[in-house]
């Protein structure tokens, strides 16, 4: 009887030691890494009935739109004479069965901080399914003119925070970040560089971090200049910043190819 009791104690003690050893080993195992964020930038955009599509930005997007009529979706006057108006009109013509609602809320002169100030009324309150943003040229142009002091770092952090807040407020929203662009003519000279190039890189990082679709406008204009060297840059943007009719048409085609709708 004593021998059995001693044996059971020995086995029990061995089991306890083994369990303790296993737990200690488990405690030393590295914590598994957090799952990588899902890259939604490559996911196809599927338009659904009643979707709201919103274009945001500065004067390039604004393009003389009638702001008094901006509250009405699909209004030609409220679209302006820009790539946004071309895209919106095309989508409405191609998908009448979807009853899409397209808005242009670009405002001339805007920078990232200006978007932030009006974002609730001009973005999240509209509950868009897709938001396309083109912003950045004024963030440097106004700085060169002495009317603004924002750095490239502030442009990047402010832009990233805006997109993060948008995704938190509108789960499932598809974000489209458009590459800012300039052509070397008119108001654009060597003073713009290399800082403008730095800001292009910052915008691309912001898009990648947010899982946004990237629309390569600068690349498209650069390609057009290479394939048509006989054409002056002013053919695409008279002052180097604001596109001509040809420039807006090139932007619309580039946007639709990148977004896939």
């Amino acid at each position: 009887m004593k021998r059995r009791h001693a044996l059971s104690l020995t086995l029990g003690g061995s089991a306890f030691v083994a369990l303790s050893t296993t737990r200690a080993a488990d405690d030393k195992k590295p914590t598994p890494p957090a799952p990588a964020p899902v890259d939604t930038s490559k996911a196809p955009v599927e338009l659904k009935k009643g979707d709201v599509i919103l274009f945001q930005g500065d004067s390039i997007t604004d393009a003389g739109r009638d702001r008094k009529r901006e509250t009405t979706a699909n209004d030609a006057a409220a679209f302006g004479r820009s790539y946004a108006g071309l895209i919106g009109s095309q989508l409405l013509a191609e998908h009448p069965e979807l009853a899409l609602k397209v808005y242009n809320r670009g405002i001339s002169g805007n920078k990232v901080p200006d978007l932030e100030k009006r974002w609730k009324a001009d973005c999240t309150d509209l509950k868009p399914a897709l938001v396309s943003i083109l912003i950045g040229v004024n963030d440097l142009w106004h700085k060169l003119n002495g009317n603004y002091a924002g750095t490239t770092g502030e442009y990047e952090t402010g832009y990233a925070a805006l997109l993060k807040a948008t995704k938190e407020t509108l789960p499932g929203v598809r974000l489209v970040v458009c590459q800012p662009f300039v052509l070397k003519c008119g108001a654009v000279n060597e003073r713009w560089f290399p800082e403008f190039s730095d800001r292009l890189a910052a915008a691309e990082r912001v898009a990648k971090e947010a899982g946004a679709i990237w629309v390569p406008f600068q690349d498209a204009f650069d390609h057009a200049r290479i394939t048509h060297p006989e054409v002056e840059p002013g053919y695409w943007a008279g002052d180097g910043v604001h596109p001509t009719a040809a420039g807006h048409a090139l932007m619309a085609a580039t946007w639709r190819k990148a977004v896939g709708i």
Side-chain angles (χ1 to χ4, degrees):
M1 190 70 178
K2 289 182 180 178
R3 186 170 177 275
R4 285 182 182 175
H5 182 65
L7 182 59
S8 66
L9 288 176
T10 302
L11 292 173
S14 299
F16 176 77
V17 171
L19 181 59
S20 300
T21 303
T22 302
R23 285 176 177 169
D26 287 341
D27 290 342
K28 292 180 181 179
K29 288 181 180 179
T31 303
V38 178
D39 182 7
T40 57
S41 64
K42 302 296 188 295
V45 174
E46 296 182 8
L47 295 176
K48 298 175 182 175
K49 190 165 186 176
D51 272 354
V52 173
I53 298 172
L54 173 64
F55 291 92
Q56 270 289 1
D58 51 35
S59 57
I60 299 170
T61 304
D62 184 332
R65 68 185 179 87
D66 187 344
R67 296 182 198 171
K68 294 178 182 178
R69 299 169 66 166
E70 68 179 16
T71 58
T72 304
N74 308 337
D75 188 295
F79 277 172
R81 302 179 300 276
S82 73
Y83 71 98
L86 292 173
I87 296 166
S89 299
Q90 291 164 2
L91 292 177
L92 292 171
E94 293 167 15
H95 301 285
E97 76 287 355
L98 293 181
L100 300 172
K101 296 180 180 179
V102 184
Y103 296 93
N104 179 357
R105 292 291 176 89
I107 293 183
S108 180
N110 267 194
K111 303 177 288 296
V112 167
D114 301 308
L115 290 187
E116 182 182 1
K117 291 174 184 175
R118 62 184 181 86
W119 205 241
K120 183 179 184 299
D122 284 345
C123 179
T124 54
D125 282 356
L126 294 172
K127 295 180 172 54
L130 185 148
V131 182
S132 175
I133 310 168
L134 172 58
I135 199 74
V137 69
N138 289 321
D139 296 71
L140 178 57
W141 198 358
H142 290 188
K143 180 180 178 181
L144 294 175
N145 290 339
N147 298 318
Y148 183 61
T151 65
T152 300
E154 290 169 333
Y155 167 71
E156 183 169 357
T157 56
Y159 204 167
L162 184 69
L163 297 190
K164 183 175 183 292
T166 304
K167 291 175 69 176
E168 290 173 351
T169 307
L170 301 170
V173 69
R174 295 304 301 271
L175 298 174
V176 177
V177 172
C178 300
Q179 184 182 34
F181 63 90
V182 293
L183 288 91
K184 289 185 179 178
C185 63
V188 181
N189 52 40
E190 292 303 324
R191 293 176 60 222
W192 288 66
F193 301 94
E195 187 170 352
F196 188 74
S197 299
D198 294 339
R199 288 173 183 260
L200 294 189
E204 190 165 9
R205 287 192 296 270
V206 167
K208 185 175 182 180
E209 180 183 342
I213 298 169
W214 177 247
V215 180
F217 283 152
Q218 182 70 69
D219 296 346
F221 282 112
D222 290 345
H223 181 70
R225 293 282 292 124
I226 291 170
T227 53
H228 297 284
E230 75 284 0
V231 176
E232 294 295 324
Y235 176 82
W236 305 105
D239 62 358
V241 172
H242 298 96
T244 58
H248 279 296
L250 177 60
M251 292 173 69
T254 302
W255 190 98
R256 295 203 64 183
K257 181 177 180 181
V259 179
I261 58 174

